Amino acid sequence: MESADVVVVGAGIVGAACAEALSAAGRRVMVLDRGAPAGATTASGEGNVLLSDKAPGPELDLALDSRRRWPGLLDTLHDELGERLADVEWESKGGLVVAVNPDSVSPLRILTGAQRDAGVEVRDLGQAAACAMEPHLTTGVAAAAHYPGDAQVQPVLAATAMLAAVRARGGLVHGGVEAEGLVVRGGRVAGIRVGGTAVPCGAIVNACGPWAGHFSVAAGAPIEVLPRRGMVLVTAPLPQVVRRKVYAADYVAAVSGGDVDLRVSPVVESTATGAVLIGSSRQRVGFDETLEVEVLRRLARSAIRLFPVLAGVPVMRAYGGFRPYTPDHLPVIGEDPRIPGLWHAGGHEGAGVGLAPATGRMLADLMDGRRPEVDPGPFRVARPALMAEVRT
């Protein structure tokens, strides 16, 4: 294999965004993935680009920056790739968060107030206004909040487009190639081992998603990134039943919770094909890929409670995937202080698609010595929650 300035290990949406930003900054980039590019966690995602599910803090700051970047990134890809750019199904359709019982109303209003103060566009709604926006929504909604900035993109197509831009700029993308470890000389990265061969490079980016913890151990600089399994139901194509991404207010608690036990909260949204995606579940079961029927039943029941019209609609398929989870629920973005030249970009859990452009730009800025627009401090590698609980 040829040498590169930077080798990105992992060709999912985050790895692709990092590779795109680094190549746009003038670096020669090589992307490696042991499977098909965008074929693992990214392929099992729903393509969420959300502000609504984040409380004020570092992750929301990163999400706001990323939401601003998505349209410009897609314009850049279109300009560079032209007809080679497939439709990535970008939809600025907005989101609707609903309180399905009176006890959820006050926490939702407290959240929306804090989000407004942090710069999120959000409008509080009553039951009548919510049902006017989503005519098939249950009339049992106590209150709701509308987020015009929530969007959706087809994650595999988006990642593939970014990787195509990397190639167009002279970079390389290799699927079916497993990175085996680092080459370290003088205490810093000098290359990466692939198939028993050392490939020279000046920096390596660990963008292995749920497997980032495993790669970090092989690299000799372990970090705590764990898999958290989720499942999704996909209905047969329907007339427009759901116009936006709609979810119950307790979804925010499910996202931020660290429970090992199963958490299920209804999330319902349509796609460009007419199929409806139904989530969301979260469960820490290692890399067990088993599709559990009871989890799928709970997903279906929770969706029907939000949209009774879905009762009896045929399910076309179900799939599961793993989200990269960190104990403090913040991504890790930056250089590892233990091995200069080793960088990490991961731990986004279910928000990787939405946060990808800002993550890639932050990594490229840090690597080039520029000051990122979002404070990188909360995402640094050397923080107690990420390194103190490491299980090797």
Side-chain angles (χ1 to χ4, degrees), residues 37-376:
T41 296
T42 296
S44 63
E46 297 166 271
N48 295 326
V49 181
L50 302 182
L51 303 175
S52 55
D53 65 341
K54 297 169 182 66
E59 188 180 24
L60 180 58
D61 294 341
L62 194 67
L64 284 164
D65 183 61
S66 206
R67 179 62 180 84
R68 287 190 289 266
R69 292 184 185 281
W70 261 114
L73 172 59
L74 295 177
D75 287 344
T76 296
L77 295 176
H78 183 270
D79 291 344
E80 293 190 17
L81 299 175
E83 294 182 356
R84 291 175 292 167
L85 176 65
D87 178 13
V88 299
E89 299 177 12
W90 173 263
E91 294 183 86
S92 299
K93 59 186 180 182
L96 192 68
V97 179
V98 297
V100 291
N101 61 70
D103 292 340
S104 300
V105 175
S106 179
L108 178 59
R109 295 293 187 243
I110 291 171
L111 175 65
T112 59
Q115 289 172 323
R116 264 190 295 273
D117 291 342
V120 177
E121 184 182 358
V122 52
R123 184 163 62 99
D124 294 327
L125 305 176
Q127 183 269 340
C131 289
M133 297 185 77
E134 292 287 346
H136 295 286
L137 185 66
T138 175
T139 57
V141 168
H146 176 224
Y147 294 81
D150 280 2
Q152 186 177 22
V153 69
Q154 212 295 331
V156 174
L157 297 176
T160 301
M162 290 186 233
L163 295 173
V166 171
R167 291 191 185 97
R169 297 166 187 160
L172 301 169
V173 179
H174 297 294
V177 176
E178 186 161 5
E180 298 161 352
L182 313 186
V183 177
V184 178
R185 295 195 187 98
R188 66 170 297 113
V189 166
I192 191 164
R193 294 196 305 273
V194 178
T197 301
V199 178
C201 64
I204 294 169
V205 179
N206 172 12
C208 296
W211 297 272
H214 287 185
F215 181 80
S216 71
V217 171
I223 58 173
E224 180 85 331
V225 179
L226 304 170
R228 206 177 185 193
R229 189 179 68 191
M231 296 185 185
V232 176
L233 293 173
V234 185
T235 74
L238 302 170
Q240 190 177 52
V241 172
V242 185
R243 300 178 179 179
R244 298 162 186 80
K245 182 182 183 72
V246 182
Y247 62 85
D250 62 356
Y251 173 76
V252 177
V255 170
S256 61
D259 297 356
V260 174
D261 294 337
L262 172 67
R263 297 287 298 269
V264 174
S265 181
V267 179
V268 184
E269 63 189 311
S270 60
T271 66
T273 66
V276 174
L277 303 181
I278 298 171
S280 162
S281 68
R282 280 173 162 75
Q283 194 173 14
R284 285 173 54 184
V285 291
F287 285 102
D288 182 355
E289 297 180 342
T290 305
L291 285 176
E292 298 181 19
V293 174
E294 181 54 32
V295 176
L296 301 179
R297 285 180 179 146
R298 288 181 61 178
L299 288 174
R301 287 195 296 264
S302 67
I304 291 169
R305 282 194 293 271
L306 280 186
F307 288 91
V309 69
L310 293 175
V313 169
V315 171
M316 185 168 59
R317 66 188 179 98
Y319 62 90
F322 301 104
R323 305 178 181 98
Y325 161 88
T326 63
D328 62 2
H329 304 285
L330 287 177
V332 52
I333 308 167
E335 189 173 24
D336 198 303
R338 296 164 292 188
I339 305 177
L342 173 62
W343 296 73
H344 301 280
H348 299 74
E349 201 169 334
V353 175
L355 299 178
T359 297
R361 181 58 183 270
M362 179 179 287
L363 188 97
D365 284 346
L366 290 170
M367 200 173 286
D368 283 347
R370 295 188 299 268
R371 182 183 178 88
E373 291 191 23
V374 176
D375 179 11

